[in-house]
Amino acid sequence: MESKTPGHPEYGDADGVEVTTGPLGQGIAMTVGMAIAERHLASIYNKPGHEIVDHHTYALCGDGDLMEGVSHEAAALAGTLGLGKLIWLYGRQPHISLDGPTELSYNDDVLERFSAYHWHTQRVADGNDLNAIEAAIEAAKAETGKPSLIAVRTIIGYGSPKAGTNKVHGEALGAADTGGHKEVLRLP
């Protein structure tokens, strides 16, 4: 409710959105470039006692992002470079994408693949467990030699009558379903 995070960010439309990312894979690949830039700027400008460039780069991604080849090329580069300040939170749906079941087009073991790319990987079993997500982020921040992927089990359209289906992504809920969804989420 009243989220300041747009679903498909466009530069200039919302505060805090620094780039327009285009296709999904390109968007998360762009975060690899941001993490490279952070490391480069830190190497130039940081001096003992004056670490002025010292931040993490975060991305939220899902199956749609990781179905695109560019995301894996970028992920392999991030692992090779050991970009330890790069953290991706991967919303792992229960095997559903916009097109339908992910088994139609994508059934990778994502954590295994990212481990092979030399990433630090973790699982969070419940996307509504904010304490577990916070603990995973802190563990990712503590891993300074590798980028991190945190697979967070989520349910697309959580709380709606169409939850867990591709219909909740591509179709309007309608007034009745929206009302029921708000009840489940205890929203006015």
Side-chain angles (χ1 to χ4, degrees):
M1 188 75 166
E2 298 182 32
S3 172
K4 296 194 181 350
T5 306
H8 288 266
E10 297 291 332
Y11 176 74
D13 288 342
D15 291 340
V17 176
E18 298 172 351
V19 293
T20 298
T21 57
L24 297 174
Q26 179 181 319
I28 59 169
M30 189 175 292
T31 67
V32 174
M34 291 176 164
I36 291 170
E38 188 274 340
R39 178 181 282 174
H40 174 69
L41 291 171
S43 73
I44 292 172
Y45 296 109
N46 288 357
K47 305 294 180 217
H50 298 283
E51 292 189 7
I52 59 173
V53 180
D54 184 19
H55 62 272
H56 287 81
T57 301
Y58 297 89
L60 303 176
C61 63
D63 290 320
D65 302 287
L66 298 185
M67 287 178 186
E68 298 190 18
V70 66
S71 59
H72 290 282
E73 293 167 1
L77 176 61
T80 297
L81 297 176
L83 298 176
K85 290 189 170 186
L86 178 61
I87 300 171
W88 289 358
L89 289 116
Y90 165 51
R92 182 69 177 153
Q93 303 293 326
H95 310 293
I96 199 76
S97 73
L98 177 58
D99 297 329
T102 53
E103 66 193 28
L104 297 173
S105 59
Y106 185 74
N107 67 356
D108 276 4
D109 183 327
V110 173
L111 293 186
E112 237 179 73
R113 183 183 262 209
F114 274 74
S115 290
Y117 292 153
H118 308 290
W119 282 55
H120 170 247
T121 63
Q122 302 175 77
R123 288 186 196 277
V124 173
D126 179 1
N128 293 312
D129 185 345
L130 300 182
N131 291 327
I133 294 170
E134 182 178 14
I137 290 170
E138 290 304 317
K141 288 167 69 175
E143 172 54 68
T144 59
K146 296 180 179 182
S148 291
L149 180 79
I150 304 167
V152 181
R153 177 85 170 181
T154 58
I155 298 173
I156 191 167
Y158 175 79
S160 83
K162 297 178 183 179
T165 72
N166 65 319
K167 304 225 179 284
V168 77
H169 184 288
E171 298 177 6
L173 285 178
D177 288 346
T178 299
H181 193 189
K182 285 182 171 182
E183 282 182 38
V184 169
L185 298 176
R186 294 186 222 128
L187 298 172

